[in-house]
Amino acid sequence: MPAGRPFTITTPIFYPSDVPHIGHGYTEVAADVLARWHRQAGDDTWLLTGTDEHGQKMLRTATANDMGPREWADRLVQQAWLPLLETLGIANDDFIRTTQPRHEQGVAAFVQRLYDTGFIEAGDYEGYYCVGCEEYKQTSELVTGTGRYEGQLVCAIHSIPVELLSERNYFFRMSQFTDRLLALYEERPDFVQPESARNEVVSFVKQGLADLSISRSSFDWGVQVPWDDRHVVYVWFDALLNYITAIGFDGDEATLNRRWPAVHLVGKDILRFHAVIWPAMLMAAGLEVPRQVFAHGWLLVGGEKMSKSKLTGIAPASITDVFGSDAFRYYFLRAIPFGQDGSFSWEDLAARYQAELANGFGNLGSRVIAMIGRYRDGVLPAAGEASERDLGIREVVRASAVEADLAIERMAPHEAIAAIWRIVEELNGYLTLEEPWALAKQPEQAGRLDAVLATAAEGLRALAVLLSPVMPKACGKLWTALGAEGSLGLLADQPIRAAGDWGQLPAGTRTAPLEPLFPRIEQEVLSA
């Protein structure tokens, strides 16, 4: 993507019916890393996240806690969901709540537009409804319950019984968009990714689409249907609209044109909403469809999707309180191929923290800064004439930076980090071969020592720039210790697509002591 182009990326808006777990944190971090990279590349970037506060599930959860739904949502958002962003270092540009007037007004205007143009009509519906999914289910999506639910039909995702509902509702005439959606998937193969997600969506739509019930009359917690106050808008129809109500729909056309279309980052369990229903809604309204829908995999615990209801949810702070937010961000995007399911284990997290962060990246930074301080009084020497090994490091830095940027473009942050990590490994190997500690004992090798220290420091400079979207705290500390000028992460100072250009840390730069980027964690803590 050429620098300066718009890049809007969204997370799903999450139900604040309970506190967030690391699955939510994984999505937030992935979107944030992609947004930070694009910002630092000079793209006109916007990251949107938020909470979905309407619907039957929110109403029932609030009632179970002896609160009204708005009071319950306010409490969870303020005490859990907004703090999650700070805990994980998320630099979002906006946070939308579906109870905000800007959203509710936009929803009302959107559904009125579809009603006025004949895409919404009244009808009767009966079907199996999962409150956990806030979705009517086909029988193929249900399984026979076990244990306390033996003999009952349960949702395959939530493992709770579905309800047989019969309502007179308003329907979105989605069946009219089957051919247009299939044409979209054919003309834009990257519209839904990864490929496995695209194949699922295409197969589903080829079976033919039914009209979609988009209102409820059995409860009143939602956006009122403008022409019929007995109904509220179906929570998913309401929630999907956040992506445009947050950026100007029904009031700020200039901002909408600037920020839309967006890249939607979603969990694979809500893929069909975003890749089928949402583009059909936009087509009906005469609006552009999203730029892309990317479905990442699930975090698994004990082989199952992480879930609060199944007591497999892990609070993000359980990890960040021990390992820090940078380690959280690094681990989940490094250890799990983006787009696939990934199993979380404390043992793997601890092992990667120790080997890759503390011993690999952190120790590299500490050694180089310490040697410049010890051997050259904290002043970066001139590199002099480059040896074959020095040139090899330069080529690794250049190639890794290019490869990482291409990986980000194809929504593969795990591949980007792997490419950047080759610089860490090559620099550690370079120091082992060059032995600057031995060169320091030989006055006649002063020039060679200068070259080694300058090469290693310049490599660290590139690493600080390239890894700052992933580990902003550690890279900020390294940047300061290197004595580099400007603010890390700002385009005017350090454009990320120029990170591989050699020679940006000049001779004479004064370094400063560097505290451990990733302090060693006592085994007793890890075993607790």
Side-chain angles (χ1 to χ4, degrees), residues 358-378:
N359 294 342
F361 179 45
N363 188 49
L364 172 65
S366 297
R367 285 201 295 168
V368 173
I369 297 297
M371 287 189 291
I372 294 172
R374 184 179 307 118
Y375 304 142
R376 294 297 181 261
D377 297 322

Side-chain angles (χ1 to χ4, degrees), residues 381-403:
E385 185 175 352
S387 72
E388 186 174 340
R389 279 184 189 152
D390 301 342
L391 294 174
I393 292 295
R394 296 184 188 185
E395 176 56 23
V396 167
V397 169
R398 184 205 64 77
S400 295
V402 171
E403 185 176 337

